[in-house]
Amino acid sequence: MNDYGYLFATFFAMMIISFGERALPFAAGEWLQKQKWAIVLGKFLPLAIMFLLVLHSSTGAALAHGGLPIPELAAIVATLVLQWFWKNALLSIFTGTLVYVVLFNSMF
């Protein structure tokens, strides 16, 4: 097989696999809606993933500047408090980001 044939075969295989893994949830959607474990994961997983992403990014940011994680913790607390009381995700995320940027730039 020449180089172009190998390249074409590789791209074709990647295309089929990518299409298949994106089409599978639609093909199995009706079956998944009836499964108890899928319903539990659908309720639990988004929050768990967001928690892990926030924990990982705030820990990485705190280690990057080498100081206390005061801006990170203040931003997380501000986001949680605003989300708890107003339940507006856009307001909470924007305010938490603003708190982080202002504190980070004033401290470092």
Side-chain angles (χ1 to χ4, degrees):
M1 187 182 281
N2 60 12
D3 290 339
Y4 290 115
Y6 179 74
L7 194 60
F8 179 75
T10 303
F11 284 150
F12 186 73
M14 288 170 36
M15 181 185 69
I16 294 297
I17 291 171
S18 293
F19 177 78
E21 66 186 15
R22 283 165 177 76
L24 185 63
F26 294 106
E30 191 174 319
W31 177 79
L32 281 173
Q33 289 176 351
K34 297 175 186 173
Q35 303 302 316
K36 187 172 179 150
W37 61 269
I39 295 169
V40 171
L41 279 180
K43 291 179 182 178
F44 170 73
L45 216 49
L47 181 61
I49 290 171
M50 286 303 295
F51 175 77
L52 289 175
L53 286 172
V54 167
L55 182 68
H56 176 72
S57 63
S58 61
T59 304
L63 291 175
H65 61 72
L68 292 174
I70 294 171
E72 290 84 5
L73 291 175
I76 291 170
V77 168
T79 304
L80 288 174
V81 167
L82 285 172
Q83 185 62 28
W84 184 271
F85 288 113
W86 279 281
K87 298 194 182 353
N88 185 344
L90 189 59
L91 175 70
S92 302
I93 293 169
F94 179 73
T95 307
T97 303
L98 186 67
V99 166
Y100 175 74
V101 169
V102 167
L103 285 177
F104 184 79
N105 287 330
S106 66
M107 292 179 69
F108 301 105

